[in-house]
Amino acid sequence: MRTAPNTALRAARNARLMSQDDLARALREAGCLSATKRLVQRWEAGHTVSPRPVHARALEKVMGLPIETLGFGAVMAGRSLSAADDGGREVESPIGEVSSDQHTSASGARPRPPGNYAGVWLSRYEYYSSGRDATFTAAHYVIILQHDDRLTIRSLPGSSPSSLEMDLTVDGHIATGVWSERTAPQGYYRGARYHGSIQVLVELTGNRMAGKWVGFGKNFEINTGPWELVMQEPSTSKAAVDAYDHPVPLED
């Protein structure tokens, strides 16, 4: 089926005397790091009817117009359903990326028996803090216990001031479920509890899972960001768990 060109976006760009390269550059400067000339071309050719939420917000910021007047659809998943200025946030990061062939583990460990995910893992996700206007990484060592296709995931108490819980169901190489975190009582969020959904793709080595989380923010906007789990130790013995029950080292 032939798609109709997005003449509204093209007209808005031309009215600002911007080339497709200029628009892509302005979007990157607005925080949309994945914007390219090729992406702009696809939008204007009509190949994309509803851009990703992070792209939509950057377009609105650069063009100074609502996304609906730029030739795209109305409210999309991941955007705020209210009129608040602080709409939903999508954090972009290499954390949630899956290798193209799904064979390379971030930890460099050897492949594990298919479907066996029990052990100690490093959990990392990124989120945007509207109160601090910055993106942060949260890291925990977690223990994964497996019962058939169900994964019960709990953070080790010494690995982070906050506590994390996840319950996933594995279907082939896809794990889907829910997450919950109780923030540090003395931290910025003062012991608040956050929760949401998560879906990750299990790499073929069985040593890494990568995907995205979804959850509500303080103003009930829908936020999303990358999440990964990397296997550290295949054992769940007390000695193995104790060896990782300490704060996650900071990256250089």
Side-chain angles (χ1 to χ4, degrees):
M1 182 177 66
R2 179 173 296 179
T3 57
N6 187 337
T7 55
L9 178 60
R10 185 179 302 166
R13 175 176 60 79
N14 289 335
R16 290 159 179 75
L17 303 179
M18 300 174 72
S19 67
Q20 293 176 332
D21 269 328
D22 292 335
L23 177 54
R25 186 179 306 108
L27 292 171
R28 291 194 296 272
E29 292 173 351
C32 182
L33 302 181
S34 60
T36 63
K37 178 181 179 180
R38 175 58 180 160
L39 180 62
V40 175
Q41 290 173 335
R42 289 184 58 80
W43 288 342
E44 294 190 354
H47 296 318
T48 301
V49 178
S50 296
R52 295 171 57 190
V54 67
H55 295 157
R57 290 189 292 273
L59 276 168
E60 289 180 329
K61 182 176 180 179
V62 170
M63 294 299 195
L65 295 170
I67 196 67
E68 294 82 3
T69 66
L70 293 174
F72 296 108
V75 175
M76 297 163 288
R79 299 189 67 206
S80 173
L81 300 181
S82 70
D85 290 335
D86 53 344
R89 289 279 182 166
E90 178 175 3
V91 177
E92 291 192 327
S93 166
I95 280 182
E97 294 180 358
V98 179
S99 57
S100 58
D101 59 5
Q102 300 183 49
H103 283 273
T104 302
S105 167
S107 66
R110 293 173 297 177
R112 308 182 68 191
N116 178 19
Y117 306 115
V120 179
W121 295 62
L122 171 62
S123 165
R124 294 195 307 157
Y125 71 88
E126 290 197 349
Y127 66 97
Y128 175 81
S129 171
S130 58
R132 292 172 285 181
D133 192 24
T135 298
F136 296 89
T137 299
H140 302 75
Y141 286 123
V142 300
I143 182 171
I144 296 184
L145 300 178
Q146 184 167 354
H147 308 280
D148 298 325
D149 62 346
R150 304 295 297 273
L151 303 182
T152 300
I153 304 173
R154 300 293 184 265
S155 61
L156 301 185
S159 69
S160 174
S162 66
S163 60
L164 176 69
E165 299 182 358
M166 301 169 67
D167 292 286
L168 307 179
T169 299
V170 180
D171 182 3
H173 284 277
I174 298 175
T176 306
V178 295
W179 61 270
S180 174
E181 183 174 7
R182 177 73 68 178
T183 61
Q186 305 303 321
Y188 180 81
Y189 295 103
R190 299 294 181 182
R193 179 175 178 268
Y194 292 91
H195 54 86
S197 301
I198 181 173
Q199 187 168 67
V200 293
L201 182 64
V202 184
E203 294 190 355
L204 296 182
T205 60
N207 293 316
R208 181 173 180 264
M209 308 178 191
K212 290 203 171 185
W213 62 267
V214 177
F216 284 100
K218 63 181 180 181
N219 295 318
F220 298 102
E221 71 277 11
I222 300 175
N223 300 317
T224 182
W227 202 316
E228 75 168 2
L229 295 108
V230 181
M231 195 274 289
Q232 307 294 304
E233 167 60 58
S235 173
T236 58
S237 68
K238 184 179 185 302
V241 172
D242 288 347
Y244 285 91
D245 195 12
H246 59 76
V248 177
L250 297 176
E251 292 186 344
D252 294 332

